[in-house]
Structure formats: C-alpha cells, structure tokens
Amino acid sequence: MSPIISNQLHQRLLLTTAAVGMFLDGLDGSIVTIILPQISESFSTDTGTASWVIITYLLMMAGLILIVGKVAERGQIRKIFLWGLCVFTAGSAACGIAPDLEILLTARIFQGIGAAMLASTASLLCVTYLPKDMYGMAFGAISMSVSVGVATGPAIGGFIAQYFSWHWAFLMNVPVGILILAFAMHIIPPDIPREKQPFDLYGAILLFGLMAAGVYCLERISHLGISDPQILLSGSVSIACLIAFYIRERMCNLPLIHISVFSVWNFTATLVAFLIYGCVSMGIFYLLPFFLQAGMTYDPAMAGLFLLIPPVITAIIGVPMGRWSDLIGRRPFAIAAALSSIIVCGIFMTIVPETGFIPLVLGLLFMGLFMGCFGGPVASRVVENAPSGEEGTGTSLMVTAVYLGSVLGTALFATFFTLGSLETGIAAFSDLDPEKFLQGFHLSMTAGFVLSVLALILSVIVREKKTQ
C-alpha cells in the first residue's frame, strides 16, 4: 500500500500539481474551437477537414484514459504523470510550429496521448496519496481546474484569434509544461514497486477500438448524416468491439474492467449522472461561443470575456463546495448541480438577442454554480459508490466519463443544432439565417434540459453513502 501523505503543505502541493496538469488538459480540449477558422484559413483547407484538429485530440483522450489508468494502478503513477507532461509539452511545441495540416494532426495525436496520461493519473494521485476525508476537496480542485480550462479555452482562444497568431494557442503550453514538470519531479512521491500482473492487452485493444470508432461516429454524424458509409462502418465497428470486449472481460481472469462493477446500481447511477453533467456542460460551452458571435454579434474578445464568468464562479466555489461535501455528504450537491443545469438550459432554451445581456449573464452565473456543484462532490460520489476494492477502477471510469461526456456533449448538441436549424452537412454558423440559428440553438438546449432532468432523477434516488 502507498503511504498516505499527512503533511498538509505536501498535500496541497501534490494537489496543485495534479490540478495544473488537468487545467492544461481542459484548456487544450476547448481552445481549438475558437481558433479553428484561423487554422483552416492558414492551411487553405475546408472546415470539415480542419475539424480533425479537434477529433484527433478527443479520440486519443477518450480511447486511452481508462487503459493508461489501469497501467498506472500497477505502481506507475508518478512515471506516467511525468512522461505525460513531457509528451504533452513536446506535442504542444510541435503543434505550434507545424508547417502544414498533416504535421499538425500528427502533433495533436501526441498531444492527446500526453493529455490522456495526465488525465488518467491526476485523480489517481489523490486517491493514492491523500486521505479519504480530502476526496471532496481534492476532486473539487481537479474538477474545477478542468472546468476552468475548458471554459477559459474559448476566452483565451478568442483573445489570441483577435490579436495574435493561432500558433500561440499551443506554444503557450510549453513554458507552463516545463515548469510543472520540474515542480512535479520534486513533489510526487516515488512509485512503489508492485508485483507484476498480466495485462489484458486484447481487452485494451478492443476498448480503444470501441471508444475510437464510437467517438468518430458521434463526432461526424452531424456532418455526414446517419446513412453515410463512414458512419455505418464506424458504428458497426464500435458495436462489434463492444460485444467482443464484454465477452473478453467476462472470460478473462484479470480483466481490464471488472464488468461486475456496473451491477452495483448506486455506482452505475452516479456514474451516468456524472457523465450527463459533463455532456451538458461541454455541449453548452461548444455552442455558446457561436451564439455570442453569430447571435449577439460580439467580437471574439468580447465573447471570451462573457465566457470567463462561469470559470470565475467555479474557481471561487469549487474547492469550498468539495470541502463542504466532505462534511455533510455528496447527495445535496448532486441534486443542486442537476437543478442548476436545468435552470441554465431553461434560460438558454428561450434566450434571444433582443432580451439583451442580462439573461445571458444570469445563465452564465448559474453555469458556474452548476460546475462548482458537480465537480468535486459528484466526482467523489462516483468513487465512493464503487464496489470495495474497485476504487481505482471507479476513479478511472470517473475520469473517462469527464472526457467521454465532453465528446458526447459536442456531438449531441451539434446534431440537435443541425436538426433544429434544418441544415445538413457542415455549415458556417455565421452564415446561417438568425432565425434558423436560434431554432438550432434552442433545440440543443432543450436536449440538455431533458438530460438534466434525467440526472436529477438519478441523483435523487441514490441515497447518501456513509464513508468509513
């Protein structure tokens, strides 16, 4: 067993290390959404081709987090975190100096691999080295860092898009990555060697195929249509991998995932609710920049300033919410998160440019409250409800749900936007008729409202679990 760190200063330094790594993850997952038009113009390519700059990163994240997490659990947490920083920083530098789209996409693959290594180990650092009564605060800080990174990505990207070259969106990661690497080498305790166990390589391959094909299908379905051969093929591959993975994990003596964890109702319900929160929050943040620019006619810099409101609120309340949940329990915060999400989606379901900025600011304030509530408390709730001895698996699945939710949110909200705006294929948001744009935007938020109600039901019916 790894020793629990008792020194409070060391605890906070370790948590800071993990949080900064997750901030970089969240930032690079969203900053590209704003600078994509500049990238497309720089390489003289169409929007559909340029969108692979986002897809490749998400594919690596969604497909590798759980696999890398299982490797890290075998006594490799420090090593994987440090190597993740190295790969992510090198990938960022390569993205920033890429002379053509092919090299940029290759660099984004490496950046996504590094990001997956960071995301899969940051939470494990907390579970491994911090006491259980700090889980709420720790996950609150990490979730806050991801949320702030995701939310400030469009804001920072908007500033860069207006005043600098898109290259700096990647290059700015390099000095930060080098600094946190030097910091982490001194803060993270050495890995404790553990008895080597066989690794479920076939299960890992099937899981990656399931995630990669599924993500590709979901990301492209709104652009290509459900009957497109690429969608049919990727969907079929994903389903086939799912069936094969289930059979493999049931038959394997040391599976990658003990499928039985999903038979624990409380764990599955809290995990699904957490997935929904990530889906709705990312879906909203995916469409909001376009609403601010195409609907409210704000320039990228002004739109970025509005998008700073949620992360500021989250930064203020995230850690206190997590610490409070350590004292009184997680369930009230899970319910509050669902109610806040319902309010946010309700506001954006009806908002129109003519109402001015007051409803917009109100929705963004509740968005910050929503992220502050679901980050630490609900993440901790997922881990606490994992079966005894499967806390590591619960942590890895929780982290996977963060990024899988981001992928699903982007894809689902994009699909509902396409349906609502009565547009097919890839269309420039700014070129849409304002009325059609609002139809698509409102339908997407309606979908978020329905999902939020489902999350509320799941949060209410799962009772509080007393920690030991």
Side-chain angles (χ1 to χ4, degrees):
M1 294 293 291
S2 302
I4 299 298
I5 297 173
S6 57
N7 182 278
Q8 290 188 356
L9 177 60
H10 196 175
Q11 290 173 346
R12 294 181 185 279
L13 291 176
L14 179 74
L15 185 54
T16 299
T17 303
V20 173
M22 294 299 286
F23 172 81
L24 292 175
D25 267 3
L27 181 69
D28 273 75
S30 65
I31 195 171
V32 177
T33 58
I34 288 291
I35 65 172
L36 201 60
Q38 277 196 339
I39 294 176
S40 179
E41 182 179 354
S42 177
F43 294 132
S44 301
T45 187
D46 63 277
T47 306
T49 302
S51 67
W52 276 92
V53 178
I54 297 176
I55 294 172
T56 49
Y57 186 88
L58 291 176
L59 281 174
M60 294 301 105
M61 289 291 293
L64 292 177
I65 282 179
L66 187 58
I67 296 171
V68 176
K70 297 300 291 186
V71 175
E73 286 181 45
R74 288 165 167 77
Q76 305 288 326
I77 300 177
R78 182 179 189 271
K79 182 183 295 184
I80 291 177
F81 187 88
L82 295 179
W83 272 108
L85 275 171
C86 293
V87 174
F88 179 85
T89 303
S92 298
C95 287
I97 62 175
D100 55 51
L101 185 62
E102 289 74 19
I103 293 179
L104 175 60
L105 293 178
T106 303
R108 281 290 276 179
I109 290 175
F110 281 98
Q111 194 184 32
I113 293 173
M117 296 169 74
L118 292 175
S120 61
T121 51
S123 295
L124 282 176
L125 286 173
C126 300
V127 172
T128 304
Y129 295 110
L130 298 182
K132 285 189 175 182
D133 60 6
M134 284 187 65
Y135 281 6
M137 184 187 73
F139 286 132
I142 288 180
S143 180
M144 177 196 70
S145 300
V146 176
S147 299
V148 170
V150 170
T152 56
I156 296 173
F159 183 82
I160 292 173
Q162 183 134 346
Y163 299 108
F164 299 97
S165 165
W166 61 265
H167 302 80
W168 288 102
F170 301 109
L171 291 175
M172 68 179 185
N173 292 330
V174 177
V176 178
I178 293 174
L179 287 174
I180 195 64
L181 175 62
F183 187 71
M185 291 176 67
H186 293 284
I187 296 302
I188 301 177
D191 288 323
I192 298 178
R194 299 183 183 181
E195 182 181 352
K196 291 187 177 180
Q197 297 178 344
F199 182 70
D200 185 11
L201 178 61
Y202 293 112
I205 294 173
L206 289 171
L207 179 61
F208 183 81
L210 160 66
M211 300 288 282
V215 168
Y216 179 84
C217 180
L218 289 170
E219 279 288 327
R220 303 305 295 166
I221 193 170
S222 63
H223 303 306
L224 302 176
I226 195 171
S227 61
D228 186 90
Q230 293 185 42
I231 300 301
L232 295 176
L233 177 61
S234 59
S236 299
V237 169
S238 182
I239 294 173
C241 287
L242 173 62
I243 296 173
F245 179 74
Y246 177 81
I247 295 173
R248 168 69 185 180
E249 298 307 282
R250 297 292 290 185
M251 297 176 61
C252 185
N253 292 327
L254 292 171
L256 191 67
I257 300 176
H258 290 283
I259 300 297
S260 59
V261 299
F262 296 107
S263 65
V264 179
W265 160 248
N266 285 355
F267 173 73
T268 302
T270 53
L271 181 65
V272 171
F274 188 72
L275 178 71
I276 290 174
Y277 293 139
C279 177
V280 173
S281 62
M282 186 58 186
I284 292 174
F285 274 117
Y286 165 68
L287 284 181
L288 268 183
F290 298 105
F291 172 76
L292 293 172
Q293 294 180 68
M296 302 293 288
T297 66
Y298 294 133
D299 60 44
M302 180 59 70
L305 289 176
F306 275 102
L307 291 174
L308 281 175
I309 295 176
V312 168
I313 300 298
T314 304
I316 294 173
I317 70 173
V319 173
M321 286 285 190
R323 187 182 293 112
W324 194 13
S325 74
D326 287 332
L327 298 175
I328 70 171
R330 325 290 186 191
R331 187 168 178 257
F333 296 91
I335 294 173
L339 292 174
S340 299
S341 181
I342 289 172
I343 292 173
V344 171
C345 292
I347 291 174
F348 291 136
M349 278 168 54
T350 56
I351 194 172
V352 292
E354 291 76 17
T355 58
F357 69 89
I358 294 179
L360 172 64
V361 171
L362 187 62
L364 293 173
L365 289 172
F366 272 101
M367 189 71 188
L369 177 62
F370 162 50
M371 294 190 302
C373 285
F374 94 80
V378 182
S380 303
R381 200 178 195 215
V382 173
V383 178
E384 287 180 354
N385 280 279
S388 178
E390 292 291 339
E391 290 82 5
T393 298
T395 301
S396 296
L397 287 171
M398 180 270 292
V399 176
T400 301
V402 173
Y403 293 96
L404 182 58
S406 297
V407 175
L408 291 172
T410 302
L412 288 174
F413 275 61
T415 299
F416 279 103
F417 179 88
T418 300
L419 292 173
S421 61
L422 303 178
E423 293 288 338
T424 57
I426 301 171
F429 285 85
S430 58
D431 293 338
L432 284 175
D433 176 83
E435 184 177 348
K436 288 185 176 181
F437 176 90
L438 285 176
Q439 287 176 357
F441 183 77
H442 290 158
L443 182 61
S444 298
M445 297 302 158
T446 302
F449 184 91
V450 174
L451 287 173
S452 300
V453 171
L454 175 59
L456 175 62
I457 295 172
L458 291 173
S459 299
V460 169
I461 61 179
V462 176
R463 295 182 178 180
E464 193 72 69
K465 180 174 182 177
K466 302 295 183 182
T467 57
Q468 299 297 323

